[in-house]
Amino acid sequence: MTKKKILMVDDDPAVTDYMRLKLEKDYEVLVTNAPSRVLQIARQQQPALILCDIDMPDMDGGDVCRALSDDRETRHIPFAYLTSIVSADEAQAMENKFGGQHGISKHASIEESLARIKAIIG
Protein backbone atom coordinates (compact mmCIF):
# COMPACT_ATOMS: atom_id res chain seq x y z
CA MET A 1 0.00 0.00 0.00
CA THR A 2 1.32 3.40 -0.97
CA LYS A 3 1.71 5.92 1.83
CA LYS A 4 0.13 9.35 1.43
CA LYS A 5 2.64 12.16 1.01
CA ILE A 6 2.95 15.06 3.41
CA LEU A 7 5.03 18.09 2.48
CA MET A 8 6.40 19.83 5.54
CA VAL A 9 7.98 23.28 5.50
CA ASP A 10 9.74 24.85 8.46
CA ASP A 11 12.83 27.03 8.49
CA ASP A 12 14.18 25.02 11.45
CA PRO A 13 15.74 21.71 10.34
CA ALA A 14 15.47 20.36 13.90
CA VAL A 15 11.66 20.62 13.67
CA THR A 16 11.44 18.96 10.26
CA ASP A 17 13.88 16.22 11.30
CA TYR A 18 11.87 15.47 14.45
CA MET A 19 8.49 15.54 12.70
CA ARG A 20 9.77 13.39 9.85
CA LEU A 21 10.91 10.74 12.34
CA LYS A 22 7.50 10.77 14.01
CA LEU A 23 5.40 10.77 10.83
CA GLU A 24 7.32 8.56 8.42
CA LYS A 25 5.88 5.35 9.87
CA ASP A 26 2.47 6.37 8.52
CA TYR A 27 3.28 8.83 5.71
CA GLU A 28 5.85 9.58 3.05
CA VAL A 29 7.29 12.84 4.40
CA LEU A 30 8.78 15.39 2.05
CA VAL A 31 10.64 18.26 3.70
CA THR A 32 11.91 21.67 2.77
CA ASN A 33 13.48 24.28 5.00
CA ALA A 34 13.13 26.87 2.21
CA PRO A 35 9.58 28.26 2.07
CA SER A 36 10.21 29.68 -1.39
CA ARG A 37 10.45 26.09 -2.73
CA VAL A 38 7.05 24.90 -1.46
CA LEU A 39 5.06 25.84 -4.56
CA GLN A 40 7.49 24.06 -6.89
CA ILE A 41 7.61 20.92 -4.74
CA ALA A 42 3.82 20.88 -4.29
CA ARG A 43 3.28 21.12 -8.05
CA GLN A 44 5.69 18.24 -8.71
CA GLN A 45 4.75 15.93 -5.85
CA GLN A 46 1.04 16.69 -5.31
CA PRO A 47 1.11 15.77 -1.58
CA ALA A 48 -2.02 14.84 0.33
CA LEU A 49 -1.24 17.58 2.87
CA ILE A 50 1.09 20.53 3.34
CA LEU A 51 2.18 21.27 6.93
CA CYS A 52 3.65 24.74 7.17
CA ASP A 53 5.23 26.73 9.98
CA ILE A 54 3.66 30.16 10.46
CA ASP A 55 6.63 32.16 11.72
CA MET A 56 9.47 32.00 9.18
CA PRO A 57 11.80 34.71 7.87
CA ASP A 58 11.49 35.98 4.31
CA MET A 59 8.27 34.08 3.51
CA ASP A 60 5.92 33.33 6.39
CA GLY A 61 3.22 30.68 6.50
CA GLY A 62 0.55 33.13 5.37
CA ASP A 63 2.61 33.94 2.27
CA VAL A 64 3.05 30.24 1.55
CA CYS A 65 -0.67 29.58 2.02
CA ARG A 66 -1.61 32.43 -0.35
CA ALA A 67 0.85 31.28 -3.02
CA LEU A 68 -0.54 27.74 -2.88
CA SER A 69 -4.18 28.85 -2.94
CA ASP A 70 -3.52 31.24 -5.87
CA ASP A 71 -2.05 28.45 -8.02
CA ARG A 72 -4.49 26.25 -9.92
CA GLU A 73 -2.18 23.21 -9.61
CA THR A 74 -1.96 23.40 -5.80
CA ARG A 75 -5.11 25.10 -4.49
CA HIS A 76 -6.85 21.74 -3.97
CA ILE A 77 -4.13 20.41 -1.63
CA PRO A 78 -5.15 20.50 2.05
CA PHE A 79 -3.04 22.91 4.07
CA ALA A 80 -2.37 23.11 7.81
CA TYR A 81 -0.28 25.44 9.88
CA LEU A 82 2.26 23.83 12.20
CA THR A 83 3.16 26.32 14.89
CA SER A 84 4.66 26.85 18.31
CA ILE A 85 2.82 30.18 18.67
CA VAL A 86 -0.12 28.45 20.36
CA SER A 87 -0.14 25.69 22.95
CA ALA A 88 -1.91 22.38 22.39
CA ASP A 89 -4.71 23.53 24.73
CA GLU A 90 -5.06 26.86 22.91
CA ALA A 91 -5.21 25.05 19.57
CA GLN A 92 -8.03 22.83 20.86
CA ALA A 93 -9.86 25.89 22.21
CA MET A 94 -9.56 27.40 18.72
CA GLU A 95 -10.93 24.14 17.25
CA ASN A 96 -7.54 23.62 15.57
CA LYS A 97 -8.14 26.47 13.15
CA PHE A 98 -5.63 29.29 12.73
CA GLY A 99 -6.67 32.12 10.47
CA GLY A 100 -9.36 29.93 8.91
CA GLN A 101 -6.88 27.14 8.13
CA HIS A 102 -6.34 23.81 9.82
CA GLY A 103 -3.67 24.01 12.48
CA ILE A 104 -1.49 21.81 14.64
CA SER A 105 0.46 23.04 17.64
CA LYS A 106 4.09 21.96 17.79
CA HIS A 107 3.42 21.45 21.50
CA ALA A 108 0.82 18.75 20.79
CA SER A 109 1.75 15.14 21.40
CA ILE A 110 2.62 13.11 18.35
CA GLU A 111 -0.62 11.15 18.89
CA GLU A 112 -2.62 14.38 18.76
CA SER A 113 -0.72 15.53 15.67
CA LEU A 114 -1.36 12.23 13.90
CA ALA A 115 -5.04 12.39 14.83
CA ARG A 116 -5.28 15.92 13.36
CA ILE A 117 -3.53 14.84 10.17
CA LYS A 118 -5.85 11.84 9.80
CA ALA A 119 -8.86 14.10 10.39
CA ILE A 120 -7.66 16.38 7.60
CA ILE A 121 -6.66 13.83 4.96
CA GLY A 122 -8.15 10.56 6.13
Side-chain angles (χ1 to χ4, degrees):
M1 184 168 129
T2 304
K3 293 180 182 178
K4 291 182 180 181
K5 292 180 191 175
I6 293 176
L7 172 57
M8 188 173 15
V9 57
D10 195 304
D11 59 305
D12 185 348
V15 172
T16 53
D17 289 349
Y18 171 78
M19 291 297 291
R20 180 192 311 224
L21 285 172
K22 296 300 181 183
L23 298 176
E24 68 186 356
K25 178 182 169 223
D26 299 302
Y27 299 98
E28 180 180 345
V29 182
L30 310 170
V31 170
T32 184
N33 300 114
S36 61
R37 295 208 53 236
V38 173
L39 187 60
Q40 174 191 2
I41 296 168
R43 282 179 180 153
Q44 291 173 345
Q45 297 294 322
Q46 292 294 308
L49 174 66
I50 297 171
L51 287 177
C52 183
D53 187 22
I54 291 176
D55 189 22
M56 299 181 287
D58 302 322
M59 186 174 191
D60 69 23
D63 296 332
V64 172
C65 184
R66 278 186 293 283
L68 291 163
S69 64
D70 287 346
D71 188 282
R72 64 180 173 78
E73 293 180 50
T74 58
R75 68 175 53 125
H76 68 281
I77 301 170
F79 180 93
Y81 287 118
L82 181 64
T83 186
S84 61
I85 294 172
V86 297
S87 70
D89 290 341
E90 290 169 328
Q92 287 181 344
M94 298 166 58
E95 298 180 357
N96 296 299
K97 295 280 185 170
F98 310 151
Q101 293 293 331
H102 295 286
I104 300 171
S105 172
K106 290 180 185 177
H107 304 289
S109 69
I110 197 60
E111 293 80 17
E112 288 176 78
S113 298
L114 282 167
R116 287 291 307 134
I117 291 168
K118 287 178 183 167
I120 296 167
I121 63 173

